Amino acid sequence: MPDLLLELRSEEIPARMQRRAAEDLRKLVTDALVERGFLYEGAKAFATPRRLALHVAGLPPRGEAVREERRGPRVGAPDAAVQGFLKSAGLASLDEATTVTDPKKGAFYLAVIERPGRETLDVLAEILPQIIRNFPWPKSMRWGAASAQAGALRWVRPLQSIVATFGPETETPEVVPFGVDGIAAGMLTAGHRFLAPGAFEVRRFDDYAPALERAKVVLDADRRKDIILHDARDLAFARGLDLVEDEGLLEEVAGLVEWPVVLMGSFDESFLDIPAEAIRATIRANQKCFVLRKSGSEALAPAFILVSNLVASDGGEAITAGNERVVRARLSDAKFFWETDKAVRLEDRLPKLDTIVFHEKLGTQGQRVQRIATLARDLAPRVGANADLAERAARLAKADLVTEMVGEFPELQGLMGRKYAALQGEPDSVCAAIEEHYKPLGPTDRVPSDPVSVAVALADKLDTLVGFWAIDEKPTGSKDPYALRRAALGVIRLVVTGGFRLPLAAAFGRAGSGHAGAGGLGEAAGADLLAFFADRLKVYLRDQGARHDLIDAVFALPGQDNLLMVVRRVEALGRFLDTDDGKNLLAGAKRAANILRIEEKKDGRAYDGPPDAALIAQGLPEERALAEALAAAREAASSAVAAEDFEGAMRALSSLRAPVDAFFDTVTVNADDPALRANRLALLNALRAATREVADFSRIEG
């Protein structure tokens, strides 16, 4: 079976765009082929700083012929309908259609459309230029004289050549006949910009990848990453050091080089007085280099790993020296920032926060700090924190935003605050909270355990959520510019992981009082924010393996704003419904709910009063047994729920299985006697009310 080789060679593609671009290229080409009926055996895309490449294996040389029957309007239909049918079917007149008679619907027109199979080469020549012209780069550019013309090609960087070949491995492949803005597809590519810049011919993927390797280009990004990582480890080990691994940096560096060469540089040991995180940020951000630590220790070593795109004749000495000069200058700046920042206490920086606008409708960072400090003090007892320490930590938590170090390296916010707080003698819990109040930053990030950290983290996130809800700036669709979904998930993880009882409605109220200037949080906005938390909780619990319908069933009960209790109730309900008693009771409760819904709609009234005890006493034994069981189970379940013993509540409900089964097996609900019928419907309502002590069973699937 023939293969397709496609290479789009350009000036340097930004590293952050490469992997996504390769995947986009694979998907766009293969989707276009499948849409036209061309199936394939496999496809893989590649990216280097100067090229995107795609190999599609096992394409047929020619597409299958297509025979399609298209039904038209009935015979005698209006002319507009007939003309529309002819146009869509590609027919010149009704003489080219057939007439078919349906026993039920009468006679109608039918078009039989036959399309011969197309040559794959022709289809590729049709789809590839369209894909190249409409490629979804996050940012693109035009260049050269053609850029002044309407419809000129846009690419991430100037496109230099296109390789596009198609054919079986046993024959010389053909060039796919197309061009884009004067760049014709061919078989010529080029290797490494400096080490092998000459053009050379490639015919198919099997000789393309080895030819690039000889031309000092490692095509596969994952292989480049592997080369960098292993060479860096080996070089560090040879010097008695350990590599501080960094997956994000490794991905970026692999996108900066086509032929990775790993080297080691060094810096003056006096710079190790700077916090290790600042050294790492400086070297990482400015030079894209990896830091090293002393073997068997967490202490950094005065050395770093750099990755060159050249095999230098001097063994890399000049490249290393150049990087050392820049690193030395950057670390000198970082040391100056560190020494300057240490001279000013955090509380003395707070007035400057009043000059920084957090949001035009929510005030300055200084106003926000005041709100968070008040809320943290209020929340402290609920999470077992010292109120004074929580308030102190909250007041200092944002002070490092106006330090020199965080101004240069924003990713160090919180961490530098902790360092400066420790230097000025703040309690350990306050220092920890200054760093940890941003956490958790995502579903896998660590959840702080220190109560002071938890109080400040909750206050920070609740203030943000309530504030943006108060001004009606909520996430819409995929847009969430203020990371409010992440903030809500952070609250959920803090509460659930810590096992804290924190009613959200009351917390919203306390947080909302600080947003009076923004109109406060109205009742409708509060209800909407609670619903938002319910949706986030569904996502969280679904990731833990829970069912979304159980969350709906619990949230349907009034007053369910205690996240911990909701989670525990959902977990207990899930375990109960996995038992035979739970499954059968669910079936009985849903049957009762369905009967009630139908009869209440028919009668125009609700059967929500208590059943008549006298009629129950005169009724069938199964009625009496169910009524007695309901009274006992509801009381026991209510008491268990009040004691937060949800397993006990489920056990109480499980006692209803046998009497419910017996009732439905023996008793006719819609009795001829109207009073008896009404009483039996009231008994079913009592069953519904008993199960609602735990959840709204009508919302449970199954």
Side-chain angles (χ1 to χ4, degrees):
M1 296 283 277
D3 292 0
L4 167 68
L5 168 64
L6 175 66
E7 183 202 66
L8 305 168
R9 187 171 62 86
S10 67
E11 296 292 336
E12 272 70 10
I13 305 168
R16 67 183 184 280
M17 297 184 188
Q18 291 172 22
R19 197 172 287 271
R20 175 63 183 270
E23 177 57 25
D24 284 342
L25 181 63
R26 184 196 65 78
K27 190 173 190 305
L28 288 168
V29 172
T30 55
D31 283 357
L33 287 167
V34 171
E35 187 179 311
R36 290 161 175 78
F38 290 82
L39 303 182
Y40 59 95
E41 293 176 0
K44 188 170 183 180
F46 305 88
T48 80
R50 297 181 64 218
R51 69 201 77 222
L52 295 180
L54 173 68
H55 175 224
V56 182
L59 276 169
R62 185 182 181 87
E64 296 284 341
V66 176
R67 186 180 188 278
E68 176 188 352
E69 291 186 352
R70 184 171 299 177
R71 181 169 175 162
R74 59 180 173 78
V75 175
D79 185 61
V82 172
Q83 292 303 318
F85 163 63
L86 293 176
K87 183 177 180 180
S88 67
L91 304 182
S93 70
L94 287 176
D95 294 338
E96 297 179 13
T98 58
T99 302
V100 178
T101 301
D102 186 299
K104 294 182 179 179
K105 299 183 179 180
F108 59 89
Y109 296 113
L110 184 73
V112 178
I113 304 169
E114 294 186 355
R115 296 191 185 95
R118 296 179 63 192
E119 295 289 339
T120 306
L121 198 68
D122 295 337
V123 173
L124 289 170
E126 174 187 291
I127 65 175
L128 293 180
Q130 298 173 11
I131 290 171
I132 293 170
R133 285 192 175 279
N134 299 300
F135 200 79
W137 291 108
K139 291 185 178 180
S140 57
M141 62 180 289
R142 295 178 295 175
W143 62 93
S147 65
Q149 301 173 10
L153 173 66
R154 299 187 68 92
W155 201 246
V156 62
R157 295 291 185 270
L159 188 63
Q160 295 176 331
S161 69
I162 301 172
V163 171
T165 67
F166 177 73
E169 61 182 29
T170 55
E171 301 173 14
T172 300
E174 295 182 70
V175 172
V176 182
F178 75 93
V180 180
D181 273 25
I183 304 173
M187 292 186 176
L188 288 179
T189 187
H192 191 284
R193 179 185 291 278
F194 305 111
L195 301 177
F200 57 92
E201 184 179 280
V202 291
R203 299 192 173 193
R204 57 179 59 83
F205 184 76
D206 286 347
D207 62 47
Y208 170 70
L212 281 182
E213 192 93 10
R214 291 190 295 272
K216 304 301 183 185
V217 175
V218 178
L219 180 63
D220 190 337
D222 289 329
R223 185 160 166 256
R224 294 197 301 274
K225 287 173 65 175
D226 192 59
I227 291 169
I228 293 167
L229 183 59
H230 283 84
D231 286 359
R233 286 172 176 168
D234 291 346
L235 191 54
F237 179 76
R239 306 288 179 86
L241 304 173
D242 293 331
L243 177 71
V244 177
E245 297 186 15
D246 184 330
E247 176 61 28
L249 179 60
L250 180 61
E251 175 77 15
E252 183 178 9
V253 171
L256 297 174
V257 297
E258 289 195 316
W259 190 257
V261 177
V262 176
L263 303 168
M264 181 182 289
S266 62
F267 55 85
D268 193 280
E269 196 160 356
S270 65
F271 288 123
L272 294 178
D273 293 339
I274 307 169
E277 297 84 358
I279 294 174
R280 183 175 179 180
T282 301
I283 293 177
R284 185 190 199 279
N286 292 303
Q287 290 304 102
K288 312 301 180 190
C289 294
F290 299 84
V291 296
L292 299 164
R293 59 173 174 249
K294 298 168 184 176
S295 184
S297 168
E298 291 300 313
L300 290 189
F304 60 92
I305 291 288
L306 62 126
V307 181
S308 169
N309 194 34
L310 282 175
V311 179
S313 58
D314 64 355
E317 290 184 10
I319 295 172
T320 302
N323 276 268
E324 288 176 340
R325 282 194 298 273
V326 177
V327 166
R328 183 165 57 251
R330 296 297 186 180
L331 288 178
S332 295
D333 290 343
K335 189 169 185 177
F336 173 77
F337 295 151
W338 170 242
E339 298 296 339
T340 301
D341 288 341
K342 286 195 300 182
V344 182
R345 292 181 64 83
L346 289 175
E347 56 265 42
D348 294 336
R349 297 182 180 276
L350 296 181
K352 196 169 182 181
L353 292 176
D354 291 323
T355 66
I356 301 173
V357 176
F358 171 63
H359 187 281
E360 60 180 354
K361 295 181 181 179
L362 297 175
T364 65
Q365 283 285 10
Q367 291 170 317
R368 184 162 180 254
V369 164
Q370 293 292 337
R371 293 194 303 266
I372 294 172
T374 300
L375 187 55
R377 184 175 190 87
D378 188 67
L379 292 173
R382 295 186 171 275
V383 298
N386 179 288
D388 292 336
L389 293 181
E391 182 178 2
R392 174 69 175 171
R395 291 199 181 279
L396 301 180
K398 307 294 182 183
D400 68 346
L401 295 178
V402 293
T403 62
E404 298 286 346
M405 191 69 84
V406 174
E408 183 73 12
F409 304 108
E411 66 271 26
L412 296 181
Q413 61 185 343
L415 188 144
M416 294 312 302
R418 179 175 191 160
K419 299 282 186 185
Y420 299 137
L423 285 174
Q424 67 184 45
E426 297 293 336
D428 290 345
S429 290
V430 171
C431 297
I434 291 172
E435 178 184 8
E436 295 177 339
H437 80 281
Y438 292 105
K439 293 181 174 294
L441 289 173
T444 59
D445 193 24
R446 180 179 64 84
V447 177
S449 57
D450 187 291
V452 174
S453 297
V454 173
V456 182
L458 284 172
D460 180 57
K461 292 167 180 58
L462 287 170
D463 175 79
T464 299
L465 288 159
V466 170
F468 281 106
W469 250 257
I471 61 173
D472 198 28
E473 290 272 2
K474 299 174 287 189
T476 55
S478 61
K479 296 181 179 178
D480 186 10
Y482 304 110
L484 301 180
R485 293 187 180 96
R486 187 175 71 186
L489 179 59
V491 171
I492 290 168
R493 292 189 64 206
L494 285 162
V495 169
V496 174
T497 303
F500 302 120
R501 291 160 176 77
L502 181 68
L504 287 179
F508 294 165
R510 290 191 290 273
S513 64
H515 287 282
L521 189 68
E523 185 176 339
D528 187 65
L529 181 53
L530 186 60
F532 179 75
F533 265 94
D535 288 340
R536 292 298 92 201
L537 185 61
K538 286 180 196 176
V539 173
Y540 171 75
L541 289 178
R542 189 163 58 240
D543 290 343
Q544 310 297 314
R547 290 164 40 182
H548 68 87
D549 57 326
L550 303 189
I551 307 167
D552 285 338
V554 171
F555 261 110
L557 302 180
Q560 297 305 308
D561 68 339
N562 188 322
L563 294 173
L564 181 64
M565 294 302 101
V566 169
V567 170
R568 290 184 177 174
R569 194 183 293 229
V570 167
E571 291 171 347
L573 182 59
R575 288 190 290 270
F576 175 58
L577 293 176
D578 283 339
T579 67
D580 288 340
D581 284 347
K583 291 171 185 171
N584 286 328
L585 180 60
L586 174 62
K590 291 178 82 68
R591 183 176 177 184
N594 288 335
I595 294 171
L596 279 168
R597 184 178 64 255
I598 293 168
E599 300 306 317
E600 287 177 340
K601 182 177 180 181
K602 183 169 66 178
D603 298 345
R605 55 162 292 196
Y607 292 94
D608 52 3
D612 187 320
L615 286 176
I616 293 289
Q618 298 168 18
L620 296 173
E622 289 78 10
E623 289 179 84
R624 294 195 297 275
L626 179 57
E628 292 169 1
L630 282 171
R634 184 171 186 180
E635 182 179 354
S638 179
S639 298
V641 168
E644 300 177 359
D645 178 13
F646 300 113
E647 300 288 353
M650 303 302 163
R651 286 194 300 272
L653 290 184
S654 69
S655 67
L656 294 175
R657 174 192 171 178
V660 168
D661 289 347
F663 178 86
F664 282 121
D665 287 344
T666 309
V667 179
T668 301
V669 175
N670 286 319
D672 294 334
D673 183 343
L676 189 57
R677 172 178 172 273
N679 206 52
R680 287 173 177 173
L681 288 171
L683 191 58
L684 293 186
N685 180 69
L687 171 59
R688 181 168 60 183
T691 56
R692 279 183 175 169
E693 292 291 336
V694 170
D696 184 347
F697 275 42
S698 69
R699 294 177 179 262
I700 301 174
E701 298 173 359

